[in-house]
């Protein structure tokens, strides 16, 4: 205690410069965790039911839009195609016979041996067979299109987030084969509802991803509050998409308050206590303080003083305080 009393009461020669302490408006920050989300999270679905015979991607692979991800085969389509081919072949034979009958009928009609009604019936039979063959060809094209739909394509360019199926499994129409995340990434945060009124689109936020502090912009605040929390999206330039769902610490501005700030260089530590030099009527004296959070004002490192100073105190730079 004698040492502490001596440090508190020691006076020094009056320094040439002193900085009066004045209240400064600072921003209050709320620390929350944000989750990295893909802007577009689209499932690649099977359009054809069948067996998954080929799966060419896995979780984490980068894909381009339209890239083949998997191939599904339905064996029944081959049998249907073969049945249509056989029917078409039979109808083609009937058509050839009907065209021969029509040709003979037209010759007989020209010689006056047969009637016009008989020739018209033969011509109608030829047209009917041609229509039936055309219908079979259309059905065959439908089957060919169904076979092509067995190829599952990437809906967007991005990274494969999930592959819930395995090669050899049976896939149903509409079943998800892979989930692709694309279109970039953003942070989604959930903030307690008491801070909802203080959030505004365009606010600058701070975040840390383990690689140094970064800044982002509050892009959207959703109006629906669920579970006592309001959801918001944060745009961050260059946010990686290697780990969708990763959590990052985010600091949001939720208000302002008045505080006394002193330059960090004006604080000295002795015997485990923090002091600042003050100009008094009798000279320069050390005063014990309780420091708070660090801030940066116009590029100068400042420290909030919780206790020990009042507005109007003249702070002396630590370099100008004697350490005797």
């Amino acid at each position: 205690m004698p040492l502490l009393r001596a440090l508190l009461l020691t006076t020094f020669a009056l320094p040439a410069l002193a900085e009066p302490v004045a209240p400064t408006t600072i921003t209050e920050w709320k620390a929350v965790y944000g989750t990295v989300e893909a802007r577009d999270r689209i499932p690649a679905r099977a359009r054809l039911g069948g067996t998954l015979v080929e799966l060419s991607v896995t979780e984490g692979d980068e894909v381009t839009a339209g890239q083949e991800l998997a191939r599904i085969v339905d064996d029944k389509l081959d049998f249907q195609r073969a049945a249509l081919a056989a029917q078409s072949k039979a109808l083609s034979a009937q058509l050839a016979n009907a065209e021969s009958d029509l040709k003979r009928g037209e010759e007989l009609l020209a010689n006056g041996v047969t009637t016009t009604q008989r020739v018209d019936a033969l011509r109608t039979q030829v047209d009917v067979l041609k229509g039936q063959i055309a219908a079979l060809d259309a059905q065959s094209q439908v089957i060919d299109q169904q076979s092509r739909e067995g190829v599952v394509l990437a809906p967007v360019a991005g990274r494969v987030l999930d592959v819930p199926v395995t090669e050899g499994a049976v896939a149903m129409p509409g079943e998800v084969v892979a989930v692709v995340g694309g279109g970039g990434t953003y942070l989604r945060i959930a903030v307690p509802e008491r801070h909802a009124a203080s959030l505004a689109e365009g606010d600058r936020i701070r975040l840390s991803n383990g690689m140094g502090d970064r800044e982002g912009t509050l892009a959207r605040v959703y109006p629906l509050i669920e579970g006592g929390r309001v959801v918001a999206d944060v745009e961050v330039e260059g946010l990686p998409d290697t780990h969708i769902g990763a959590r990052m610490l985010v600091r949001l501005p939720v208000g302002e308050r008045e505080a006394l700030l002193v330059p960090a260089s004006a604080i000295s530590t002795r015997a485990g206590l923090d002091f600042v030099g003050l100009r008094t009527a009798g000279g320069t004296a050390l005063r014990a303080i309780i420091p708070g959070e660090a801030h940066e004002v116009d590029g100068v490192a400042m420290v909030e003083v919780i206790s020990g100073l009042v507005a109007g105190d003249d702070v002396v730079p630590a370099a100008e305080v004697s350490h005797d």
Side-chain angles (χ1 to χ4, degrees):
M1 292 300 295
L3 176 60
L4 176 60
R5 186 177 295 107
L7 291 173
L8 293 174
L9 300 178
T10 301
T11 58
F12 309 92
L14 182 65
L17 296 176
E19 300 179 1
V21 177
T24 303
T25 301
I26 62 174
T27 302
E28 288 189 340
W29 299 87
K30 171 67 177 178
V32 297
Y33 275 98
T35 304
V36 179
E37 298 286 349
R39 193 176 308 279
D40 300 321
R41 191 167 182 164
I42 305 177
R45 300 182 182 273
R47 296 177 292 173
L48 175 71
T51 304
L52 188 65
V53 297
E54 183 180 345
L55 185 62
S56 56
V57 294
T58 186
E59 291 85 348
D61 290 349
E62 291 188 3
V63 297
T64 58
Q67 178 179 332
E68 180 177 333
L69 306 181
R71 188 165 59 89
I72 299 172
V73 172
D74 186 0
D75 294 333
K76 298 189 299 295
L77 296 180
D78 293 334
F79 296 113
Q80 294 177 12
R81 188 181 291 106
L84 291 176
Q87 294 179 32
S88 179
K89 185 177 181 180
L91 289 175
S92 297
Q94 295 179 22
L95 177 61
N97 186 43
E99 288 176 342
S100 297
D101 291 342
L102 176 60
K103 184 178 181 180
R104 286 192 296 268
E106 290 175 344
E107 293 176 352
L108 293 175
L109 180 60
N111 295 329
V113 178
T114 187
T115 62
T116 303
Q117 182 180 5
R118 173 59 181 168
V119 174
D120 290 341
L122 293 174
R123 186 175 292 107
T124 300
Q125 184 178 4
V126 170
D127 293 339
V128 169
L129 290 173
K130 288 182 178 179
Q132 291 177 348
I133 293 175
L136 291 177
D137 292 339
Q139 293 181 31
S140 180
Q141 292 177 4
V142 170
I143 293 177
D144 292 340
Q145 178 61 30
Q146 289 178 334
S147 298
R148 288 191 292 270
E149 289 179 352
V151 177
V152 180
L153 304 177
V156 295
R159 189 179 298 272
V160 178
L161 305 180
D162 186 26
V163 181
V165 296
T166 58
E167 189 170 319
V170 175
M172 303 299 292
E175 184 174 351
V176 176
V177 175
V179 178
V180 181
T185 54
Y186 65 94
L187 277 180
R188 174 155 290 177
I189 59 176
V191 184
E193 60 181 323
R194 66 179 181 273
H195 299 303
S198 61
L199 299 179
E201 295 182 3
D203 287 347
R204 300 296 294 173
I205 62 96
R206 301 174 182 174
L207 65 152
S208 176
N209 61 350
M211 300 175 61
D213 293 336
R214 305 176 66 179
E215 286 194 350
T217 303
L218 198 62
R220 177 179 300 177
V221 180
Y222 292 91
L224 181 63
I225 297 179
E226 294 181 324
R229 292 183 174 272
V230 59
V231 177
D233 293 341
V234 179
E235 295 285 352
V236 182
E237 184 177 354
L239 192 65
D241 64 347
T242 52
H243 294 92
I244 302 298
R247 301 179 67 197
M248 300 177 64
L249 185 61
V250 178
R251 300 181 65 197
L252 297 171
V254 294
E256 294 182 342
R257 60 184 175 86
E258 298 291 327
L260 295 179
L261 302 180
V262 298
S265 59
I267 300 176
S268 60
T269 302
R270 303 183 184 184
L273 299 176
D274 296 305
F275 299 89
V276 294
L278 297 181
R279 184 179 65 178
T280 64
T284 302
L286 289 177
R287 181 177 295 177
I289 63 168
I290 298 177
E293 295 182 358
H295 301 271
E296 185 173 334
V297 179
D298 297 331
V300 179
M302 306 290 285
V303 176
E304 179 183 357
V305 177
I306 298 176
S307 177
L309 292 181
V310 295
D313 285 343
D314 289 339
V315 176
V316 177
E320 299 183 10
V321 178
S322 173
H323 294 274
D324 295 339

